[in-house]
Amino acid sequence: MDKPKVVLGVSGGIAAYKACELLRRLTESGHDVRVVPTASALQFVGEATWSALSGHPAATEVWESVHEVPHVRIGQQADLVIVAPATADMLAKAAHGLADDLLTNTLLTARCPVVFAPAMHTEMWENPATQENVATLRRRGAVVIEPAVGRLTGVDTGKGRFPDPAELFEVCRRVLARGARPADADLAGRPVADLAGRHVVISAGGTREPLDPVRFLGNRSSGKQGYALARTAVARGARVTLVAANSELADPAGADVVRVGTAVQLREAVLKAAADADAVVMAAAVADFRPAHYATGKIKKRDGQEPDPIALVRNPDILAELSADRPHPGQIVVGFAAETDDVLANGRAKLARKGCDLLVVNEVGERKTFGSEENEAVILATDGAETIIPHGPKEDLADTVWDLVATRLA
């Protein structure tokens, strides 16, 4: 089979050197990559580097190999175009349809999914002009990834950092895996991301309820399913807020990550983020109970004495609260049910009790689901529909969840 054809556009930002790692991951995973750097990008990373890493001469000029009509053919033949880094200038040109170099011509002729990975200083990203350009591109169906928060050029820190190349590669992989479906195409035949313009909130990981300064009540959740939901939502164009409880996984590219520890903290963060969300997916394993009393000092083991019983109190039911008190009637709420026996019966009862729109029910155990790269489940809907997800990668389950959410949002 032909290798998927990827165009890597590189605009003139200091983060251009990080795109070399993205290029390496794409080529080593079997993609045929053509690099199209702007003149400014070549000030940061030279043409020889792009050519050596891609195995193709870097395409830099409209006037090179004119008989091949590169300003048209490169975009026409691509399965994916990703611009990484995408500067404020490049976003403005793309939003306004300018075509003053080979990369901007390629963007205009592409009939495949287009992904932008912005990288710039915080002030430039937050400028109303940039935000309007981003909104325009997203409205047209492009995937514009939210930049990361961290160290920028010089001593500055803030939002605008280039995403981790490994996580950015995962976004590209998911976009290519979905392909272009006719129902998701605009009038010009370009694929449109079906969650573009939507804000989704996802909880992930497992809460920990402190018992004393060194001990806690917790669970085995790794956060992998919630992170898969975040990655797939980014790849489908959504603005993603990920509320992560005690997970050590790398931040998904394009997601705004809010870190929490306890169920009470998770509730506060989710309710705040859900205020303007189109959909909320509660994939975190939230502790049902917490210790009634917190010991300010480590609880000591005393010879000849049994430990005092640990009194527990209920944690807030976040899923039920979200379902009952939605900020607007069109919001979709999805819950997860981890069961060990009578899986479907317990799942149906929970769906009725919680009041959410969809409930993902799976069987869990010491060697099932938790910490695994795979999952299997049944998704129950309030209308009685049941969607069976066979054993497979957690990202496949995540895509099915978003398929069902997107249908309901539409």
Side-chain angles (χ1 to χ4, degrees):
M1 295 177 63
D2 292 338
K3 295 180 178 180
K5 293 180 173 59
V6 177
V7 173
L8 173 59
V10 186
S11 55
I14 185 62
Y17 79 94
K18 294 183 180 180
C20 295
E21 174 65 15
L22 174 61
L23 173 57
R24 185 186 68 80
R25 289 179 177 272
L26 287 166
T27 54
E28 288 185 355
S29 58
H31 299 84
D32 184 6
V33 186
R34 187 80 179 268
V35 183
V36 183
T38 64
S40 297
L42 293 175
Q43 297 292 318
F44 293 99
V45 179
E47 182 178 347
T49 300
W50 301 120
S51 299
L53 290 176
S54 68
H56 295 295
T60 58
E61 296 289 343
V62 173
W63 304 108
E64 292 179 355
S65 303
V66 175
H67 64 288
E68 297 178 357
V69 201
H71 73 289
V72 173
R73 293 288 181 264
I74 293 175
Q76 285 180 337
Q77 296 172 355
D79 297 307
L80 171 70
V81 175
I82 175 166
V83 183
T87 60
D89 179 66
M90 179 54 62
L91 294 173
K93 288 180 177 179
H96 290 83
L98 300 184
D100 61 353
D101 63 8
L102 186 55
L103 179 52
T104 49
N105 274 271
T106 298
L107 290 170
L108 284 180
T109 58
R111 292 297 182 269
C112 61
V114 177
V115 177
F116 293 89
M120 63 197 75
H121 268 70
T122 306
E123 295 84 356
M124 299 176 72
W125 171 252
E126 294 178 346
N127 188 283
T130 302
Q131 289 300 302
E132 190 166 334
N133 291 331
V134 169
T136 297
L137 291 168
R138 285 173 172 164
R139 189 171 61 251
R140 294 174 184 163
V143 176
V144 184
I145 295 173
E146 291 283 316
V149 176
R151 183 71 177 268
L152 306 173
T153 306
V155 297
D156 294 341
T157 299
K159 189 167 187 176
R161 182 180 175 87
F162 189 75
D164 178 77
E167 288 297 321
L168 188 53
F169 166 73
E170 291 299 322
V171 173
C172 295
R173 190 174 64 82
R174 294 311 302 170
V175 172
L176 279 166
R178 283 187 57 77
R181 298 180 299 175
D184 296 333
D186 64 12
L187 294 177
R190 288 181 290 260
V192 174
D194 60 355
L195 293 179
R198 302 292 191 177
H199 176 209
V200 302
V201 177
I202 302 154
S203 69
T207 62
R208 295 178 179 177
E209 310 304 322
L211 178 61
D212 64 20
V214 298
R215 300 182 180 93
F216 60 85
L217 300 180
N219 57 66
R220 298 179 185 274
S221 178
S222 65
K224 289 181 179 179
Q225 184 61 72
Y227 276 61
L229 282 156
R231 289 192 187 94
T232 52
V234 168
R236 294 170 73 153
R239 177 167 68 90
V240 177
T241 301
L242 176 64
V243 181
N246 305 297
S247 177
E248 298 179 356
L249 301 173
D251 291 353
D256 289 325
V257 180
V258 181
R259 300 196 179 279
V260 297
T262 67
V264 171
Q265 292 170 348
L266 187 139
R267 173 187 176 273
E268 180 181 355
V270 168
L271 291 181
K272 180 179 179 180
D276 68 342
D278 296 288
V280 182
V281 181
M282 289 292 295
V286 182
D288 293 322
F289 309 99
R290 68 180 184 273
H293 304 288
Y294 173 74
T296 56
K298 179 182 176 182
I299 300 172
K300 297 291 187 180
K301 179 175 65 176
R302 294 179 173 84
D303 292 340
Q305 295 184 19
E306 293 297 320
D308 294 333
I310 298 174
L312 301 177
V313 295
R314 286 182 178 273
N315 271 322
D317 191 329
I318 307 171
L319 179 58
E321 185 176 357
L322 283 167
S323 301
D325 301 322
R326 308 188 195 205
H328 54 87
Q331 187 179 78
I332 305 299
V333 178
V334 182
F336 271 67
E339 302 291 345
T340 56
D341 52 63
D342 296 329
V343 175
L344 283 181
N346 287 333
R348 294 187 186 102
K350 184 173 183 177
L351 176 64
R353 188 171 65 252
K354 301 294 186 180
C356 52
D357 301 285
L358 300 166
L359 188 72
V360 183
V361 184
N362 51 17
E363 185 176 359
V364 298
E366 187 172 347
R367 295 179 177 84
K368 293 181 180 179
T369 302
F370 286 142
S372 171
E373 301 296 335
E374 291 81 34
N375 203 348
E376 58 183 297
V378 177
I379 303 178
L380 306 177
T382 52
D383 60 5
E386 297 184 3
T387 304
I388 299 174
I389 312 300
H391 187 82
K394 289 185 172 178
E395 288 173 336
D396 289 352
L397 188 153
D399 261 327
T400 303
V401 169
W402 293 125
D403 287 343
L404 296 171
V405 169
T407 299
R408 284 159 174 75
L409 288 174

